[in-house]
Amino acid sequence: MPETAPKAPMKASDLLVAALEAEGVEYVFAVPGEENLDIVESLRTSSIELVLNRHEQGAGFMAATYGRLTGKAGVCMATLGPGATNLATPAAYAYLGGMPLIMITGQKPIKQSKQGQFQIVDIVSLYEPITKMSKAIINGNTIPALVREAFRVAEEERPGTVLLELPEDIAIEETDEPLLLPHPRYYAIAGDTVLDEAAEMIRDAKMPLLLLGAGANRKDAHAALSAFAEKTQIPFFNTQMGKGVIDERSDLFLGTAALSDGDYIHCAIARADLIINVGHDVVEKPPFLMEPGGTKVIHLNYKAAQVDQVYFPQVEVVGDLAKSITRLGDILGGPLEFDRSYFERIKKETDLHTSEGSNVSRFPVIPQRLVADTRRVMGDDDIIALDNGIYKIWYARNYKAHKPNTILLDNALATMGAGLASA
Ligand SMILES: Cc1ncc(C[n+]2csc(CCOP(=O)(O)OP(=O)(O)O)c2C)c(N)n1
C-alpha cells in the first residue's frame, strides 16, 4: 500500500483530519461538542468543510445520503454520550440501507479523567449491532490504519456504517505515523461456469422476469442493465430502492413492488417461472416471497445471498454486477423467445392504474394528482427525497423514475425523519 511520511510529528487530531483528506472527504456534518474541539480546530485549517447541524440525527442522515449518492463514505461527527446516542437512527439507516457512513464521536480522556462517569456511555459497544465496525482509537499511532480500514469497511459491498471514537487525550497525542493512502477497488468477476448455468436457466424459462434492487442503484450498473433488457427483451420490475436503474418509461417496465401483495405486478410475479434478481437483498421489504418448489431465482450481486425463509436462490452469480450482466447478455445473444402476452397485459393494467387520477382537480389534493404534478415539474436528473408514510408508497408505485437514484426513499429501516435531511 502506498504511504506518505509526515514531515514532522503532528497532533493526532491533525493526523486524523489529514487521513480524512487523503480519503477524499469534502464535508463533515456535525454537532460538535467540547470533546471534539481538537478535531474542529484541525478541520478549520483543512480542505474539509464543517457543516453545522441543529441535531446529530440530521447530520447522520446528510452524511449517509452523501454516501448513498457518491459511493464514498459520508462523514458525520458528534460529541460523547448524548451526542453519540443521537446518531443511533442514522447509524441503523445506513447499516440497513447499504449506505457508506463514518461516524466520529468524542470521548472523555481515557488515560486519566476527573469526570467520574459523567456523560460516559459505552458508545463502542452500543453501536456494535448497528455498524459494520465500531472502534475506539486508543493510540494516535493507529489512526492511519484505523481510518483506512474504516473507509474500506464502510464503502465495500455491502456498504454500511462505521463508528470511530476519538477520546480527548488521544486527540492531542503527538505522532509521526505515516498516512496509508487509498487505492482503487475492483470487484471479482463471476466465473464462466456459473454464468453458463444462469444463461441456461434463462433460456429454459417460459416466463422470466428481471428484478432490479437497491444494489443495482448503488453502483453504476445502469448502462449494462439497460443494454441487457434491450438485448434480451426480458420485462423488468423493481423494488422501491431499485427505482430508476433502468428508465421506467421503458416498454419493458411492469411496475414497482411498492405494495406487499395484491398489485398487478404480483400477478406477473406469480406467473413468472424465473426471476433474475439483480441487486436486491433481504434487507429491503421483500418484493416477492419464495416458496419451496415455487418460482426459481437467480441471484446476481456483489455478495452471496443471505438466506431467509422467503429467499433461497437456486443460482448465485457473485461478483461485479455490471460485468456479470454484460457477460450474461453476451452469452444469451439476443431477444429471448417466449410468450409475452400475459406480461404485456400486466404492463397495460399497471400503466392505466398508476396514471389514474393524474388530472383530478379535487380539494384537498389526492395523492395520485400530487405524484403526477411532481413528475410534471421535475427534470430527468432532479431528485426527490421522501420520508416515510403511506404517501411514500404512492410515490414508489406511481412516480416513474427516469434515472438511477432520482427517488431517495428508505425501504430498509423505513424511518421517518430522513427525508428532509436527505434533501
Ligand atoms: C422514526 C419513526 N417513527 C415512527 C415510524 C412509524 N410510522 C411509519 S409511517 C408513520 C406515519 C406517517 O404519517 P404522515 O407523515 O402523515 O404520512 P402518511 O402516512 O399520512 O402519508 C409512522 C408513525 C417510523 N417509520 N419512523
Side-chain angles (χ1 to χ4, degrees), residues 102-287:
I102 292 184
M103 313 193 305
I104 298 171
T105 55
Q107 189 52 282
K108 288 287 175 207
I110 51 174
K111 292 188 258 190
Q112 209 172 30
S113 169
K114 297 198 174 94
Q115 295 275 337
Q117 292 303 304
F118 178 64
Q119 288 196 302
I120 305 282
V121 176
D122 182 354
I123 293 298
V124 172
S125 303
L126 176 71
Y127 276 99
E128 254 154 27
I130 48 171
T131 57
K132 288 177 80 180
M133 173 178 133
S134 179
K135 284 221 154 89
I137 303 173
I138 54 167
N139 185 323
N141 293 335
T142 61
I143 286 174
L146 269 179
V147 171
R148 184 75 279 277
E149 177 65 356
F151 278 80
R152 181 188 75 78
V153 170
E155 291 174 356
E156 196 172 85
E157 281 288 333
R158 186 177 190 278
T161 310
V162 168
L163 177 126
L164 288 179
E165 180 186 74
L166 184 66
E168 275 181 277
D169 51 353
I170 306 303
I172 55 168
E173 276 184 0
E174 289 279 307
T175 166
D176 56 6
E177 196 67 17
L179 289 177
L180 299 177
L181 302 179
H183 53 81
R185 179 184 297 107
Y186 303 101
Y187 288 97
I189 296 172
D192 287 342
T193 312
V194 72
L195 284 164
D196 287 339
E197 200 182 328
E200 202 178 312
M201 265 175 94
I202 297 171
R203 271 197 214 103
D204 288 348
K206 295 197 169 48
M207 287 182 79
L209 274 183
L210 180 63
L211 164 63
L212 308 171
N217 242 337
R218 276 201 293 276
K219 298 286 179 293
D220 193 11
H222 151 80
L225 277 158
S226 302
F228 177 83
E230 200 51 43
K231 182 184 250 179
T232 61
Q233 289 292 303
I234 301 175
F236 72 93
F237 69 111
N238 50 27
T239 68
Q240 296 187 35
M241 290 172 85
K243 279 184 78 67
V245 175
I246 303 180
D247 191 334
E248 295 174 11
R249 289 170 294 185
S250 162
D251 289 341
L252 297 167
F253 178 58
L254 302 190
T256 299
L259 302 171
S260 297
D261 205 0
D263 204 348
Y264 293 103
I265 187 59
H266 299 107
C267 300
I269 294 166
R271 283 283 187 98
D273 61 343
L274 177 68
I275 292 175
I276 307 157
N277 167 17
V278 184
H280 167 67
D281 58 45
V282 290
V283 178
E284 199 178 349
K285 192 171 182 183

Side-chain angles (χ1 to χ4, degrees), residues 391-411:
Y391 86 98
K392 181 189 82 174
I393 312 287
W394 280 110
Y395 270 91
R397 188 170 181 273
N398 285 21
Y399 188 92
K400 281 197 172 155
H402 302 168
K403 294 269 185 84
N405 275 323
T406 50
I407 168 161
L408 297 182
L409 53 76
D410 172 19
N411 191 34

Side-chain angles (χ1 to χ4, degrees), residues 57 61 89 387-394 410 413-418:
Q57 193 180 85
F61 286 140
T89 305
D387 222 279
N388 265 273
I390 291 296
Y391 86 98
K392 181 189 82 174
I393 312 287
W394 280 110
D410 172 19
L413 181 67
T415 181
M416 292 174 78

